[in-house]
Amino acid sequence: MGALIPVREDLGLFEGYHSPQVDVDVRLNTNESPYPPPAGWLDALHDAIAALPFHRYPDRRFTALRAGLAELEGVRPEQVFVANGSNEVLQTLLLAYGGPARTAAVFEPTYALHSHIATVTGTKVAVGERNHDFTLDMDDVARVMKDAEPAVTFLCSPNNPTGRIEPPEVVRAVLEQAPGLVVVDEAYGQFSRWSALELVDETTPLVVVRTFSKTWSMAAARLGYCVAPSSVVAALEQVVLPYHVDAMKQAAGTLALRFKSEMQARIAGINEERGRIAAAFADLPVDTWPSDANFVLFRPVHRDGNNVWQALLERSVLVRNCASWPRLSGCLRVTIGTPAENDRFLAALREVLQ
Ligand SMILES: *Cc1c(COP(=O)(O)O)cnc(C)c1O
């Protein structure tokens, strides 16, 4: 009998990506939608599931969902790849284009999963630094491209956890310099003023990744997709496991697209609330940064971020504690909730900072 052996040495002993799930009244720590999907969607899904041939494997090419997404984004179905959350899209991209002897570039601070998934797939990670205001430092972009020659370059727009978008001229400049694929993670793309989707075509090495987890109120469904040149989509299909998108999920996604206007109404409401929180921050002793997403990063001035996080928690308000993350010293990130949740958050924060 073999002994229990240690895990792959190249994984290192990193900590997983977890946000504590504690029981609180106001949960504003994981950037989900505060609203459930429309009741009409749930009814339609119920009927669709009742009619599914469960003894058969699902449509391997998720034809209906893919056609719906292609129509939504104004591209051809061959330019759409779907997976179990956008994180699986990212993993599949790295399985196809990363791996041993290749490098992925990230610009910190950014979404921790980009470097984490790279490492898990055996891909080396090259780290670039941002400016102090969290915009991309184009000199450092040039340095990373030249030194690391990344096969995959990750951007995140709006960037989690800073909230900033990468403007069109920046994405174009990165595309010009990158020797490999540029992957723009747009998990919050629908909250934002601009999308890199307009730059996707058959010859540009650009992949835009989106998810149903945030704007579509479907985090529990685990459904994400990317829009890319069809040759990239074909490569992803070759490396992903067979039948990876189950039939219930395909139905859930396809039916959700019927409720696009409801989704857009939720976004408009959340963006309005984001404006209200930003305005309230202007009158509080916090530093903050402009956000195009459903969350805002802030840093209490002259106060320990961990203490403020704890004091909010004692008032049953949970935000994301980034205070001890590299480059984000003292920062907290609040997800935009319902108006009532945002009121509770702002009242608690005013009390704590007084
Ligand atoms: C929330 C988030 C995702 C979503 O991942 P899913 O697997 O689709 O739930 C992806 N990228 C970023 C930057 C995120 O913040």
Side-chain angles (χ1 to χ4, degrees):
M1 189 164 56
L4 282 175
I5 64 163
V7 296
R8 270 165 48 199
E9 289 77 11
D10 64 311
L11 293 181
L13 279 176
F14 51 73
E15 276 184 36
Y17 182 76
H18 297 300
S19 191
Q21 289 196 318
V22 294
D23 204 16
V24 288
D25 293 346
V26 180
R27 187 137 61 100
L28 301 174
N29 66 328
T30 45
N31 297 345
E32 294 143 313
S33 173
Y35 303 107
W41 171 80
L42 202 56
D43 289 344
L45 181 60
H46 192 268
D47 293 347
I49 288 177
L52 278 180
F54 270 98
H55 56 304
R56 300 294 182 193
Y57 280 109
D59 174 3
R60 188 167 172 172
R61 295 182 44 82
F62 36 86
T63 314
L65 177 55
R66 166 180 257 153
L69 286 169
E71 196 191 319
L72 176 77
E73 306 294 14
V75 296
R76 290 189 293 115
E78 305 80 53
Q79 294 176 300
V80 177
F81 176 78
V82 175
N84 296 284
S86 54
N87 284 327
E88 194 184 42
V89 176
L90 300 173
Q91 184 190 57
T92 312
L93 279 162
L94 284 163
L95 288 171
Y97 293 97
R102 291 195 172 189
T103 300
V106 298
F107 297 91
E108 299 287 2
T110 191
Y111 188 48
L113 266 275
H114 294 161
S115 46
H116 174 83
I117 300 171
T119 303
V120 170
T121 59
T123 314
K124 281 195 287 291
V125 178
V127 177
E129 299 292 333
R130 288 171 186 270
N131 297 314
H132 282 299
D133 64 0
F134 300 134
T135 56
L136 268 190
D137 174 348
M138 293 313 291
D139 290 338
D140 212 46
V141 170
R143 175 190 68 82
V144 170
M145 296 302 145
K146 192 165 150 287
D147 293 356
E149 295 184 354
V152 178
T153 297
F154 284 107
L155 298 178
C156 190
S157 182
N159 187 24
N160 182 4
T162 70
R164 276 200 185 275
I165 61 164
E166 302 298 2
E169 63 276 13
V170 165
V171 176
R172 283 203 190 87
V174 172
L175 270 169
E176 255 163 46
Q177 296 181 34
L181 274 188
V182 175
V183 175
V184 183
D185 184 338
E186 288 195 356
Y188 307 94
Q190 293 97 329
F191 294 107
S192 160
R193 282 164 288 172
W194 182 75
S195 166
L197 276 167
E198 68 179 52
L199 301 178
V200 176
D201 61 29
E202 281 295 274
T203 53
T204 306
L206 171 66
V207 179
V208 175
V209 183
R210 292 197 153 194
T211 178
F212 282 71
S213 294
K214 315 285 163 57
T215 47
W216 290 94
S217 295
M218 286 168 61
R222 311 302 306 125
L223 185 58
Y225 63 99
C226 69
V227 177
S230 52
S231 59
V232 171
V233 171
L236 300 181
E237 278 167 350
Q238 284 185 342
V239 301
V240 80
L241 294 173
Y243 309 111
H244 67 296
V245 188
D246 72 67
M248 289 183 286
K249 186 170 314 204
Q250 292 187 35
T254 307
L255 293 170
L257 300 178
R258 287 192 202 158
F259 296 86
K260 181 182 163 187
S261 57
E262 285 85 343
M263 181 270 280
Q264 286 167 330
R266 287 195 302 274
I267 288 171
I270 286 167
N271 280 353
E272 207 177 304
E273 282 293 295
R274 182 183 68 210
R276 191 165 73 89
I277 289 184
F281 278 173
D283 295 330
L284 285 168
V286 299
D287 293 330
T288 184
W289 293 267
S291 169
D292 264 56
N294 66 337
F295 56 84
V296 183
L297 188 73
F298 66 101
R299 178 192 281 136
V301 181
H302 305 311
R303 286 288 299 271
D304 179 61
N306 289 304
N307 286 350
V308 173
W309 180 81
Q310 189 64 42
L312 289 171
L313 188 59
E314 280 156 19
R315 287 159 182 80
S316 210
V317 175
L318 180 62
V319 300
R320 193 66 187 263
N321 186 0
C322 316
S324 28
W325 297 6
R327 306 168 187 86
L328 290 168
S329 168
C331 288
L332 306 175
R333 189 196 69 193
V334 62
T335 303
I336 311 301
T338 62
E341 287 173 331
N342 301 333
D343 284 343
R344 282 274 309 260
F345 161 69
L346 287 173
L349 186 64
R350 281 195 190 101
E351 201 178 283
V352 169
L353 295 179
Q354 239 170 29

